[in-house]
Amino acid sequence: TSVFIVNPEPIDVELGADVTIKLGESVNLQADVNKPITGAEWYADIGTVQNTSNLTVEVSPLETTQYSVFVTNEEGCTSEDHIVVRVEVERNVYIPNAFSPNSDGKNDYFTVFADEVIKEVSQMSVFDKWGNQVFVKENFAPNDELQGWNGKYRERSMQPGVFVYSVTIEFIDGRFGTYHGDLTLLY
């Protein structure tokens, strides 16, 4: 007896071209399939993926990561595809070199300014020209002027002059950066 077997159309899944994002950003990955499926599973070569049974997932990798999706249809046929999400790291940190704590509402505090790649300022220290520490603050958010130095030491306003700072920053990817420089206090 002869039997004619028809090969069904294979299941195919497509994630598209590799993607590049900046550190701190998210991207939606969409799995496009050519047939109805009964299941999808996502995997990452670094870290984990949330909502792994959906065809669309949102990811926020801290470093370049390859994501894979495996789909299955009713007949038990499977297909897979992979995509690489490249992470560009730009550590945009701005530390002023002068400030004027004269209560005019402009530049009254010395602090660290940055974008969303910073988790926190781990430590900020200011020293006078003799090496005496006149200010120290730990574990605070950037961009909040009230967390910075107001130009006072022991509740007394410091004289105008040049000071030295040391700042240690923790980034969202777990890395640390240390910045040093001089700072001019003006009135």
Side-chain angles (χ1 to χ4, degrees):
T1 307
S2 295
V3 176
F4 181 70
I5 299 175
V6 177
N7 286 334
E9 178 185 358
I11 186 172
D12 188 37
V13 61
E14 178 65 36
L15 291 176
D18 293 348
V19 178
T20 301
I21 63 172
K22 292 183 179 179
L23 180 64
E25 292 182 340
S26 298
V27 64
N28 285 322
L29 303 180
Q30 171 70 43
D32 294 322
V33 292
N34 63 339
K35 299 176 82 170
I37 62 164
T38 57
E41 287 293 324
W42 290 85
Y43 299 95
D45 67 344
I46 301 172
T48 59
V49 181
Q50 301 295 321
N51 301 319
T52 61
S53 62
N54 296 330
L55 287 176
T56 302
V57 294
E58 181 180 19
V59 296
S60 303
L62 298 176
E63 59 188 292
T64 298
T65 304
Q66 177 175 294
Y67 294 92
S68 304
V69 65
F70 298 86
V71 295
T72 306
N73 68 6
E74 289 179 348
E75 292 83 30
C77 298
T78 61
S79 183
E80 67 182 86
D81 196 17
H82 313 278
I83 188 171
V84 174
V85 178
R86 287 184 181 78
V87 179
E88 290 181 346
V89 179
E90 289 183 25
R91 301 188 193 282
N92 297 319
V93 176
Y94 172 67
I95 301 173
N97 61 0
F99 79 121
S100 59
N102 57 8
S103 301
D104 68 353
K106 298 177 187 172
N107 301 316
D108 287 332
Y109 294 87
F110 169 71
T111 195
V112 177
F113 297 93
D115 57 17
E116 66 279 350
V117 302
I118 289 185
K119 179 179 178 184
E120 70 178 4
V121 178
S122 299
Q123 183 176 30
M124 182 172 76
S125 299
V126 179
F127 304 89
D128 66 16
K129 62 184 173 182
W130 295 283
N132 299 311
Q133 188 176 51
V134 296
F135 177 81
V136 64
K137 179 85 175 193
E138 295 180 340
N139 306 323
F140 66 95
N143 306 318
D144 183 355
E145 289 189 24
L146 297 178
Q147 297 292 318
W149 183 41
N150 62 2
K152 294 182 179 181
Y153 177 62
R154 296 184 180 167
E155 301 304 317
R156 299 183 116 189
S157 295
M158 298 293 294
Q159 293 296 314
V162 177
F163 295 80
V164 176
Y165 67 83
S166 176
V167 175
T168 302
I169 295 173
E170 183 179 0
F171 297 97
I172 61 173
D173 61 0
R175 293 196 167 96
F176 288 85
T178 302
Y179 301 82
H180 305 278
D182 58 73
L183 164 69
T184 303
L185 188 153
L186 307 166
Y187 281 103

